[in-house]
Amino acid sequence: MDTINRNILVIDDNLTVCLMLKSWLIKKGFSVETAASVKEAKQKVKEQPFDLILSDIRMPDADGFSFLSWVKKYDSDILVIMMTGYADIESAVESMKSGAVDYISKPIEPQQLFKKIDEAFTLQERVLKQNRFSDDFIKFPGEEYKQLYQQLDQTAENNQHRLIIGDRGTGKLSAVKYIYEKGTHLLKPFVILDPYRTSSNGNDDKSLFMQKFHEAKGGVLCIRQIAYLDIRQQNELLNILTRQKKDDDFTQVIMSTDVSKDELQNRLIPKLYNLVIQDCIILPTLKGKKETIIFLAGHFLQFANTTLDKQIETIDPDIQVQLTSYAWPENIQELKNCIIKAALLTEGKTIPGSIAPKLFEDKTKSEIRTQLLTPIQGLRKEYYEKEKIMEALELAKGNKTMAASILNIDRKTLYNKIKLYNVLTNN
């Protein structure tokens, strides 16, 4: 069992039980916290990302079922194993129907506990691997997108290196993941290199670049924002693209950028530019695509309903008109955030036209702020990231799972960045 970076929370009002389990788990390499009440446990869950919770069913301030229900709504990725006395087996089985991954009877035997934890993580990893990217790239209607899927499918089937060009929010990373899923790499690594998040420290850059390439051995290396590669990295990439042998260890390299072809030509060395610009894939923007916008609005509404536990069925026609007439400079991601915000502001079953000012009144200010922040990406990325994290948390009303989805990162990364940048949260 790989216990590295696995965080476990033990909840039991019996201090002896907490300390005993903590001792066992720490010896196995887990990072462990304890809580003596549901109230304390909720606070700790809000403060850090736990992978698994061991919770007693009977607690003095609340029962395990209500806590389990809260956990599943707050962060559905957290695994929960219920602890119970022999007399409560029926309750433990019922808890599994409510979302617990397993239960264990007291008195607890260490080997049985480790076995159940191992099985829980193994099952989760298997499910994640099967569904890792299956719903990530949305299949839009229309001839333009039909041609796009053909390009992506061809890239995946032929295991080709490819450059993807698209404006902000058009789904570049999702397209790369689609290629990975459709190709022959599902049991191989998927590794991301983000050049403008890497500081220039002499030979360290080159080492990191090659390290990422070796990590992706036999799988897919995704290079985000190829325009930010320095000259040394560009030469390394050129060697990989032209000299790599097509064998079992062949690593497919998919590159992306949101700059124009002209700007990209100015930033890349000629040999690399001429190589990657051939047969490059260009992602469509949303502007003027009414059918696609309405389709996506419905898709993201379903997502918001599931994540926010809402039951919204329709969107007011006035809102639909504004959705289709707006230019969407940040494309799919901006539309997704807009629908999430609309869902958060809606209490009934229809997103009302009355909230339109709150959805669209600040668009101009937002665009200006984005333009001002863009140069920071290449200079002090941390300022830009902190700003985006704060915006996402505000939009999600403090819901970190939703905020992570808005930012297109996993929840652990969000928690780590909140700590790194000392972002204050309301939760």
Side-chain angles (χ1 to χ4, degrees), residues 52-90:
L52 183 141
I53 294 175
L54 290 169
S55 175
D56 194 13
I57 283 184
R58 299 187 181 277
M59 298 291 290
D61 57 336
D63 64 78
F65 290 105
S66 63
F67 177 67
L68 172 63
S69 176
W70 179 85
V71 170
K72 291 291 104 179
K73 289 181 179 179
Y74 184 83
D75 190 339
S76 59
D77 289 335
I78 300 176
L79 301 174
V80 180
I81 295 178
M82 306 302 292
M83 300 184 292
T84 177
Y86 283 117
D88 292 322
I89 296 299
E90 185 176 337

Side-chain angles (χ1 to χ4, degrees), residues 7 9 33-35 38-51 53 67 70 74-75 78 393 398-401 411-420 422-427:
N7 300 321
L9 175 63
E33 295 285 338
T34 62
V38 168
K39 181 179 179 181
E40 182 184 359
K42 286 183 178 180
Q43 187 59 40
K44 290 197 173 185
V45 170
K46 291 175 181 178
E47 291 173 352
Q48 56 183 296
F50 289 102
D51 299 289
I53 294 175
F67 177 67
W70 179 85
Y74 184 83
D75 190 339
I78 300 176
L393 286 168
N399 185 312
K400 294 184 179 68
T401 300
R411 63 189 182 88
K412 275 194 173 183
T413 300
L414 176 60
Y415 275 92
N416 291 335
K417 288 184 181 296
I418 287 173
K419 287 184 178 180
L420 177 64
N422 195 26
V423 177
L424 298 177
T425 63
N426 294 326
N427 286 33

